[in-house]
Amino acid sequence: QVQLVESGGGSVQAGGSLRLSCTATGHKNNRGWIGWFRQAPGKEREGVAAIDIRRDRAYYADSVKGRFTISPNNAKDAVYLQMSLLKPEDTAMYYCAADDGIDPNYGLDPVEYLYWGQGTQVTVSS
């Protein structure tokens, strides 16, 4: 089992920054991949960024490349999502998710992840 807790959400103006944190506990073999996803009202959940922690390889959705950075802490029990140059369209509930052995071609696909946190709200005003 893996437990995930997100924090760091809030309200900012367009152009601002936020850093989300995802704290993970449980068996490390079940959380080799950590992903950040978001879901806005009336829209499907979409992948934002993901990291293969063992290989230290990060993957990003085109919509956030150059603005968001995903990174783990040294103990590999937390993963951060640094979000900069935020836009109103980034407004959503943000979730972190974990699993292992994911094909990198599907690293941003939410169906690949078994374990999910409860989410943290990000609101960007214009």
Side-chain angles (χ1 to χ4, degrees):
Q1 281 283 14
V2 175
Q3 294 77 40
L4 304 168
V5 178
E6 303 97 332
S7 61
S11 297
V12 295
Q13 290 192 328
S17 299
L18 281 174
R19 189 177 83 154
L20 306 183
S21 298
C22 173
T23 301
T25 56
H27 206 296
K28 282 192 173 182
N29 286 346
N30 291 336
R31 46 186 171 96
W33 278 76
I34 301 288
W36 281 99
F37 299 81
R38 65 187 181 188
Q39 188 166 19
K43 294 188 177 182
E44 291 187 355
R45 190 168 296 190
E46 63 173 348
V48 174
I51 186 164
D52 178 347
I53 289 179
R54 293 189 188 91
R55 295 172 178 80
D56 196 23
R57 291 180 183 171
Y59 304 85
Y60 297 94
D62 288 343
S63 59
V64 306
K65 280 180 182 176
R67 299 189 298 123
F68 291 10
T69 302
I70 188 171
S71 61
N73 67 348
N74 288 337
K76 305 292 193 276
D77 57 6
V79 171
Y80 307 107
L81 185 67
Q82 178 67 47
M83 306 186 295
S84 303
L85 300 174
L86 283 162
K87 305 175 181 180
E89 51 263 44
D90 294 318
T91 296
M93 184 72 79
Y94 282 70
Y95 301 88
C96 70
D99 213 312
D100 201 24
I102 293 176
D103 183 331
N105 290 317
Y106 302 99
L108 295 178
D109 189 340
V111 302
E112 295 294 318
Y113 292 80
L114 179 61
Y115 304 101
W116 289 83
Q118 81 290 348
T120 186
Q121 178 68 37
V122 172
T123 303
V124 184
S125 58
S126 57

